[in-house]
Amino acid sequence: MDSFNWLWLCYPLLGCLAGFMAGLLGVGGGLISVPFITIILTASGMQHPDLHKIALATSTATILFTSFSSMRSHVSHKNVEWPAVKGILPGIIVGTLLGTYLVHLIPTTPLRVIFVAFTFYTAYSMAFGGQPKASRTLPGAGSLFGVGTLIGSISTLISAGGGFITVPFLIACNTPVRRAIGSSATLGFPIALSAVIWYFISFYHVSGLPPHTIAYIYWPAVIGVVMTSALFAPLGARAAQVWPVATIKKIFAVLLLALGLHMLYTITKH
C-alpha cells in the first residue's frame, strides 16, 4: 500500500455516520464500522489472511474514542441509569473474558441462529410492540451481574456489540428509552477500553502485519474515523434528547434488523 492512500478520506465520512448513530442509539457502531472498514481496506489493496480481524480490532479502537465522547454527552444530559450501569458492567467484563475462553469450545452457528431470532423479535417489538408491564423493574444486583455476564459472553461469541442487547433489556425493564440509550453508551467505553488493552497485550508483537498496523489495529483508519466520530457522537446524543421516542425506537429496530440479516448471511456463507 502507498504511504498515503486517497481512500483514507472515506474514513472521516464513516466517522460521521458511526459517531452520530453511537450517540443517538447508545451502540458502539461496530455493525456500521466493521463492514465499511473491510470494504475500504480491500479497495485500498490490503491483502492479509486476518483482514477481518484487522477490521474488528480497528473498529474496536475507534469505538473507544467515539464511546467516550458519546458517554460524556449522555452524562451531561443526565441520561444514565447509574444503578443499571454499576450492576451490569462487572458482569459484562467477566462475560467477555468467559466468551474468549468459550469461543473455541462452543459451536457458534447455533448461537448465531438464536441471536438472529432474538434480533428479529426485538426489532419487531421495538417498532410495533407495546409498553412492558408497569410492574417490571430492574432486577437486583446479582441478577444484573448475571445479565451482564450473559451479554458479554454472547457478544464475544458472535462478534456483536453488547449495546444491541443492553438497550432492549433496559427498555423491557421500564427504563425510559433515552436513559437506556445513555446507559448503554456509558457501558460502551469501559468495554472498548478493556478490549483495546487485550489486543495490545495479546497481539502487540505479532509480525507480518500490513504497514501502519499495530496489534491488528490499522491506525490510519482509527485516526480518520475518530476525527469526525468524536464530533458527531454528541450531535447524536443531542438528537436523542429531542427526537420522538417512537422515531428512535424505529431506527433502532432497523439497525437490529440489519444486524440479524448480516448474521444470517454469515451463517449461510459458512
Side-chain angles (χ1 to χ4, degrees):
M1 297 176 65
D2 298 329
S3 57
F4 179 84
N5 194 305
W6 288 105
L7 285 172
W8 287 355
L9 299 177
C10 295
Y11 293 122
L13 297 176
L14 173 59
C16 295
L17 176 62
F20 185 82
M21 298 305 285
L24 178 67
L25 301 176
V27 296
L31 171 65
I32 299 170
S33 299
V34 173
F36 279 105
I37 289 175
T38 303
I39 291 170
I40 298 170
L41 291 179
T42 303
S44 299
M46 180 181 289
Q47 295 180 348
H48 194 275
D50 289 328
L51 184 65
H52 183 64
K53 183 183 287 187
I54 293 172
L56 282 173
T58 302
S59 175
T60 301
T62 65
I63 290 170
L64 174 63
F65 298 95
T66 305
S67 62
F68 180 75
S69 178
S70 177
M71 176 185 69
R72 287 186 60 192
S73 296
H74 281 289
V75 169
S76 69
H77 291 304
K78 295 180 171 44
N79 268 348
V80 181
E81 194 75 20
W82 287 110
V85 171
K86 294 174 182 177
I88 293 174
L89 179 59
I92 285 183
I93 294 175
V94 171
T96 301
L97 296 174
L98 180 63
T100 59
Y101 173 75
L102 294 176
V103 71
H104 301 294
L105 302 178
I106 298 179
T108 56
T109 299
L111 286 171
R112 289 174 182 266
V113 171
I114 294 172
F115 189 75
V116 167
F118 166 80
T119 54
F120 287 165
Y121 171 77
T122 306
Y124 175 82
S125 299
M126 293 284 280
F128 305 107
Q131 294 295 323
K133 293 181 180 180
S135 59
R136 188 181 300 165
T137 59
L138 285 172
S143 297
L144 284 176
F145 178 84
V147 169
T149 303
L150 184 65
I151 292 172
S153 300
I154 293 176
S155 299
T156 302
L157 286 168
I158 63 177
S159 299
F164 289 99
I165 308 174
T166 305
V167 173
F169 165 74
L170 291 176
I171 291 176
C173 294
N174 275 306
T175 303
V177 172
R178 292 185 175 95
R179 292 179 74 84
I181 290 170
S183 301
S184 178
T186 302
L187 286 165
F189 174 70
I191 294 169
L193 177 61
S194 61
V196 169
I197 291 173
W198 180 79
Y199 272 112
F200 270 93
I201 292 174
S202 303
F203 304 118
Y204 184 79
H205 296 291
V206 172
S207 58
L209 295 175
H212 317 298
T213 306
I214 302 173
Y216 285 102
I217 299 172
Y218 183 60
W219 288 99
V222 173
I223 294 170
V225 170
V226 170
M227 281 172 53
T228 52
S229 68
L231 297 175
F232 274 73
L235 296 179
R238 196 175 307 158
Q241 283 290 106
V242 298
W243 286 12
V245 168
T247 300
I248 297 173
K249 291 177 72 173
K250 284 181 170 59
I251 295 173
F252 202 100
V254 170
L255 274 184
L256 279 172
L257 182 61
L259 176 60
L261 290 173
H262 174 71
M263 197 72 66
L264 191 62
Y265 170 76
T266 61
I267 294 172
T268 57
K269 186 177 180 181
H270 295 291

